[in-house]
Amino acid sequence: MDFSLSEEHIMIRDAAREFAQTELLPGVIERDIKQEFPDALVRKMANLGFMGIMVDPKYGGSGMDAISYVLIMEELSKIDASASVIVSVNNSLVCYGIEAYGTEAQKEKYLTKLATGESIGAFCLSEPEAGSDATSQKTTAIDKGDHYIINGTKNWITSGGRADVYLVIAQTDRHKGSHGINAFIVEKGTEGFHTGPKEDKLGIRGSDTHTLQFNDVKVPKENRIGDDGFGFRFAMKTLSGGRIGIAAQALGIAQGAYELALKYSKERKAFGTEICNHQAIAFKLADMHTEIAAARHLVMKAAWDKDQGNNYDMSSAMAKLYASKVAMEHTVEAVQIHGGNGFVKEYHVERLMRDAKITQIYEGTSEIQKIVISRSIIRD
Ligand SMILES: Cc1cc2nc3c(=O)[nH]c(=O)nc-3n(C[C@H](O)[C@H](O)[C@H](O)COP(=O)(O)OP(=O)(O)OC[C@H]3O[C@@H](n4cnc5c(N)ncnc54)[C@H](O)[C@@H]3O)c2cc1C
């Protein structure tokens, strides 16, 4: 067993770290306050190959493995989880979904632009009445021969206002339940497709979250992904890989908060000594260091499973469940270590604490991850 990173992986991690420090860090507080989408930074990330990390180079991707993906996600998320969720959705939901399950024509038409960052992708599963219970899709896609007509509402869609390409899950045959669901590629600007106002969020405020409305939206049949009825399995398989990205995001948020807390504790003095010399603070740092390392092992294992071609449904759920818990708990501790300074924007940890919360909610809440894990254990 080898726990060390290859030279190539170290180079990729260092490039992402350098980019995050020099490009994402300046302005991150302002973007959070203004809820500003990082347009120029997305273009720069695209130039570095971060929008199509695992995509085959023949479709404009970087052809890297899942380990590289989580290394990049961790580094970006240490500084700016709003930027990293744009990367995560584009890579592991949209690009992966089309590359793994799309037709050659769909790949040529959509994947190349998504992988090079010329287009941005969004993944549209959640609805006002279908979140954790994703089988309760109310959005309909009625088969009209050579096309489908989509009607319904999707909410909480990341990059909802900025995206060009939307993967939309909808119910074609209600009698067939989850087997009557399909996934479609819908282009921005299609008649009847409307974007609602941007959500005013607790965290990841630089990302662009919207409700989408579909009113008699005509989608050609060649834009359906997979066979008729494949949509629910498509969503579940795609989300399984997405969870590796969100687990890496949570890991990065936790690591970023820990590094800030460690540095601060070595500088700030109270009762005549640096606060890290008080055992109550030192033990918090020990717990952070240990649990973040454990989270990293779970994240790496899930990515490794994906690279090996193993089933990663359970390992990705375990990584997301644990890394998001660690991110939430230790960002709170990082604020505590900063005392009053932890409560203001300039020290970054309050933003990381707010950003951490979403990792326990999207791409399946922590309760849903426990359902996935427990079902796998009981089945085996
Ligand atoms: C900022 C943000 C970005 C998002 N981005 C996207 C996106 O790009 N695309 C997309 O499709 N969706 C997106 N989502 C939606 C997200 O995936 C859902 O919010 C999430 O899956 C939970 O669904 P819900 O909000 O309807 O909560 P509900 O499903 O109503 O859950 C409410 C609570 O009940 C619990 N619960 C539900 N069922 C069970 C059960 N069987 N057992 C135990 N507990 C249960 C949940 O864990 C949760 O605590 C995003 C959400 C947010 C907030």
Side-chain angles (χ1 to χ4, degrees):
M1 189 174 293
D2 184 359
F3 281 94
S4 54
L5 293 174
S6 68
E7 268 181 38
E8 198 188 340
H9 284 140
I10 291 170
M11 271 173 54
I12 291 163
R13 182 200 62 193
D14 290 351
R17 187 173 292 175
E18 167 81 12
F19 173 79
Q21 285 294 333
T22 57
E23 300 284 351
L24 295 182
L25 186 57
V28 66
I29 294 173
E30 209 179 13
R31 289 195 298 279
D32 172 71
I33 294 169
K34 293 183 182 165
Q35 296 216 85
E36 195 177 290
F37 187 85
D39 285 298
L41 293 165
V42 171
R43 278 193 295 280
K44 288 184 180 175
M45 290 194 287
N47 290 340
L48 288 169
F50 293 173
M51 296 302 275
I53 296 168
M54 294 169 287
V55 175
D56 191 321
K58 79 175 174 190
Y59 301 114
S62 303
M64 295 189 230
D65 56 9
I67 296 283
S68 305
Y69 173 51
V70 299
L71 290 170
I72 294 167
M73 278 299 296
E74 180 182 349
E75 292 304 325
L76 302 180
S77 308
K78 272 159 73 173
I79 306 295
D80 187 350
S82 296
S84 73
V85 71
I86 301 163
V87 169
S88 174
V89 168
N90 202 70
N91 275 277
S92 46
L93 298 183
V94 183
C95 283
Y96 174 79
I98 297 176
E99 187 168 24
Y101 303 107
T103 61
E104 200 51 42
Q106 288 168 350
K107 290 178 201 176
E108 272 165 30
K109 187 165 180 194
Y110 299 106
L111 182 57
T112 307
K113 286 185 180 168
L114 287 161
T116 54
E118 199 182 317
S119 297
I120 295 177
F123 185 85
C124 314
L125 175 66
S126 300
E127 300 184 356
E129 291 174 70
S132 302
D133 181 8
T135 52
S136 297
Q137 294 286 306
K138 298 277 184 293
T139 300
T140 54
I142 304 304
D143 191 339
K144 296 284 184 186
D146 65 343
H147 66 274
Y148 287 87
I149 296 290
I150 301 185
N151 276 291
T153 305
K154 295 287 172 184
N155 65 348
W156 308 120
I157 304 306
T158 299
S159 302
R162 281 301 201 284
D164 310 280
V165 175
Y166 297 77
L167 300 189
V168 181
I169 316 298
Q171 185 87 49
T172 296
D173 187 344
R174 200 165 298 288
H175 301 294
K176 291 186 183 163
S178 65
H179 298 289
I181 292 173
N182 279 307
F184 302 93
I185 303 173
V186 180
E187 294 177 24
K188 179 180 232 154
T190 309
E191 206 183 329
F193 175 19
H194 305 287
T195 308
K198 184 170 176 156
E199 300 291 347
D200 187 358
K201 307 194 296 292
L202 171 76
I204 56 162
R205 288 170 55 82
S207 82
D208 187 44
T209 315
H210 291 260
T211 293
L212 307 175
Q213 192 68 43
F214 298 84
N215 299 330
D216 289 333
V217 174
K218 187 175 171 184
V219 178
K221 204 154 225 176
E222 64 259 25
N223 279 26
R224 189 185 74 206
I225 300 179
D227 293 335
D228 185 26
F230 178 63
F232 188 69
R233 256 198 85 218
F234 168 81
M236 294 303 109
K237 292 307 290 176
T238 308
L239 280 171
S240 214
R243 287 169 186 158
I244 301 176
I246 301 306
Q249 180 184 49
L251 173 65
I253 293 170
Q255 178 70 26
Y258 162 71
E259 287 176 12
L260 290 168
L262 177 62
K263 181 167 178 289
Y264 187 82
S265 74
K266 289 178 174 175
E267 291 163 3
R268 175 72 178 172
K269 287 189 177 157
F271 298 94
T273 185
E274 288 77 15
I275 59 170
C276 62
N277 296 322
H278 298 299
Q279 198 179 58
I281 301 293
F283 279 14
K284 282 188 199 302
L285 294 167
D287 283 342
M288 287 169 133
H289 190 72
T290 306
E291 289 172 27
I292 290 169
R296 184 171 292 105
H297 288 150
L298 285 174
V299 173
M300 287 296 179
K301 170 65 167 54
W304 181 85
D305 275 339
K306 185 161 189 287
D307 286 335
Q308 298 303 310
N310 299 340
N311 184 309
Y312 49 90
D313 294 343
M314 180 150 86
S315 56
S316 63
M318 285 166 62
K320 182 179 183 287
L321 174 67
Y322 188 71
S324 62
K325 177 173 173 283
V326 165
M328 197 64 250
E329 289 176 3
H330 293 318
T331 50
V332 171
E333 291 292 56
V335 170
Q336 190 69 16
I337 290 172
H338 279 74
N341 283 331
F343 211 62
V344 295
K345 297 197 183 301
E346 131 188 38
Y347 284 82
H348 297 284
V349 283
E350 65 83 33
R351 185 187 69 258
L352 291 167
M353 185 183 84
R354 288 185 285 106
D355 287 351
K357 187 61 209 167
I358 192 60
T359 64
Q360 295 184 304
I361 297 173
Y362 57 17
E363 300 202 20
T365 62
S366 295
E367 290 78 12
I368 295 303
Q369 305 313 318
K370 288 187 191 183
I371 292 175
V372 173
I373 297 162
S374 57
R375 279 188 186 153
S376 296
I377 301 166
I378 294 162
R379 199 180 47 230
D380 291 350

